[in-house]
Amino acid sequence: MPTDAPTDTSQRTHDLVIAANRLPVDRVVDADGTQSWRTSPGGLVTAMEAVMKGREGAWVGWAGETGEAPAPFVENGLHLHPVPLSQQEVTDYYEGFSNDTLWPIYHDVIVPAGFHRSWWQAYRTVNERFARAVADVAAQGATVWIHDYQLQLVPELLRAMRPDVRIGWFNHIPFPPVELFAQLPWRGGILEGLLGADYLGFQRSADAQNFVRACRQVLGLTTKGDTVTVPGTGSRRARVVRASAVPISIDSAGLEALAMTPAVQERAAAIRASLGSPKVVLLGVDRLDYTKGIRHRLKAYEELLAEGAIKPPDVTFVQVATPSRERVAAYRQLRTEVETTVGRINGQYGELGVAAIHYLHHSYPREEMAALFQAADVMLVTPLRDGMNLVAKEYVTCRHDEGGALVLSEFTGAWHEMHQAFVCNPHDIEGLKQTILRAIHTDAKDKRRIMRALRRRVSEHDVQLWAKRFLEALATAPERPSAKDRATS
Ligand code: GDG
């Protein structure tokens, strides 16, 4: 169906509006040239579908192609409103300010951040465009849910345009300690942008506390517990903004159902057979990003091979590294380093027909990911810093047989909910090696007990609960300071 044509619903307004950098769809072109949109699968879409049921919500975001934006359209019951981005804006706002300035600063400066005033200018321009697009489709008194670090100025810009709407923002990535955040030349502008919201949701309490502390130290505002008081100016009244943790999750019921299908289970068995039926399959699944600790994981694996603690073909390692942000220099460099290391390890420890590492630089369908998770005896989740890490939650969800073991970095948001996992500090290579060996050799009965606890946690805290908790926190967020707070602010 050609979906670029405006629909008769494109002019209406909505009582729930989502804004995210990307719309949850990709354009697909069939062999005969017919174009259509396919909903990108993922937890966020599932969660939003759940909260939008019966509400006819709208989603504002970039459709993924530069130049003129397609007209608004409806896909899978979602009213999609594309925001245009030029090629220069993609370079400056997305690849530049979002992924080369904010991303490193918000992830412990694992690589240096780039500061360019032209990038900040583009970030402001694009945030203004998003705010305008949201203002145009939000009904009187609507609830607006803004996502992530690309859109931190939208809350305040939107409030100035539409003081009647209720504004929430959720940060999918960490919020840095003030000592790192303060490096940003535009730190004040970003905090003021965020403070336009009524409620700010973060993955961990530590992230919310970092934000509140930054408001106190950078802007000199009064804070109390998880709230920040924004003084009134001119005709605008003083307001109270709340910041707290609402950890994201996955559609665990949906993923488990997929993992239980005979096709996925057969594929899991076929994967093991194609690897030469090793005793132990180690697995890593990540976007190829320097935050994910892929290099540390490879170093630990290489040393274990060198020491003879593990040996192919008994043990093998599958690393799926999904292509990511390939136009950003730090990502290109990471790819070169990872691929050089993989080549060296295979050259040294592989044999004809027996690879020490199976490195896959592709993206796969969900079914294949579910099969890979089921085929893995030990899942290696070793980020240096990660807002949450959904892969950890997906792995345990796919292990409906209660088999397998999860090695999990303490620097992920997921660790705060999954303490029972085999915990590691990826910077400590010796410790990481010991943890991998423990995950391999721990008694099957004990591993089963751990897996059961992890699975229970994820199934009881799924993405639907996350969305419900976020919207409840937004609906009940304080609007105005109490008389007591006013007296002290
Ligand atoms: C950000 C934060 C936070 C990966 N390769 C393929 C594929 N994936 C899927 C995984 C998982 C998702 O992509 C990645 O999510 P993560 O949470 O691991 O990481 P980020 O992309 O960095 O996401 C993060 C998240 O936002 C949510 O708030 O947890 O901390 O950085 O779902 O399975 N999926 C398919 N094929 C692939 O090749 N189908």
Side-chain angles (χ1 to χ4, degrees), residues 186-347:
W186 310 281
R187 60 202 190 182
I190 287 178
L191 294 176
E192 282 161 6
L194 289 173
L195 286 168
D198 296 287
Y199 173 67
L200 300 163
F202 295 85
Q203 302 278 26
R204 306 172 307 154
S205 314
D207 298 314
Q209 286 159 11
N210 285 344
F211 169 78
V212 170
R213 200 169 302 128
C215 290
R216 197 164 60 235
Q217 292 187 18
V218 174
L219 296 181
L221 294 180
T222 302
T223 68
K224 188 166 152 206
D226 61 3
T227 62
V228 181
T229 302
V230 183
T233 48
S235 60
R236 288 174 70 168
R237 294 187 312 210
R239 299 169 37 248
V240 169
V241 178
R242 186 164 168 246
S244 69
V246 260
I248 197 169
S249 193
I250 60 165
D251 174 25
S252 62
L255 182 60
E256 186 175 54
L258 177 69
M260 288 175 101
T261 57
V264 168
Q265 296 190 44
E266 280 158 25
R267 178 65 192 142
I271 289 172
R272 285 193 78 100
S274 73
L275 294 170
S277 302
K279 290 194 185 113
V280 179
V281 175
L282 306 173
L283 175 67
V285 171
D286 315 80
R287 271 188 312 99
L288 189 43
D289 193 300
Y290 49 80
T291 59
K292 304 291 183 183
I294 301 169
R295 282 178 303 200
H296 296 64
R297 198 181 301 165
L298 289 173
K299 190 168 175 56
Y301 184 62
E302 187 172 18
E303 288 190 14
L304 287 171
L305 289 168
E307 291 160 10
I310 55 178
K311 203 169 161 13
D314 283 356
V315 177
T316 197
F317 179 15
V318 178
Q319 174 66 54
V320 176
T322 312
S324 183
R325 304 176 189 171
E326 296 188 298
R327 285 160 48 95
V328 179
Y331 288 75
R332 286 202 300 272
Q333 194 188 328
L334 172 71
R335 182 173 174 193
T336 305
E337 280 178 41
V338 165
E339 294 185 354
T340 304
T341 308
V342 167
R344 187 180 63 231
I345 294 175
N346 272 334

Side-chain angles (χ1 to χ4, degrees), residues 102-119:
L102 294 172
W103 184 268
I105 292 275
Y106 284 38
H107 288 90
D108 293 356
V109 202
I110 297 166
V111 305
F115 297 142
H116 297 284
R117 280 163 280 185
S118 56
W119 289 359

Side-chain angles (χ1 to χ4, degrees), residues 135-149:
D136 286 348
V137 298
Q140 185 68 25
T143 295
V144 177
W145 185 350
I146 302 158
H147 289 267
D148 233 356
Y149 61 104

Side-chain angles (χ1 to χ4, degrees), residues 154-172:
V154 174
E156 173 55 26
L157 291 164
L158 178 61
R159 179 165 299 280
M161 296 173 193
R162 291 289 306 270
D164 59 296
V165 299
R166 203 148 181 79
I167 305 170
W169 176 82
F170 181 78
N171 196 28
H172 289 257

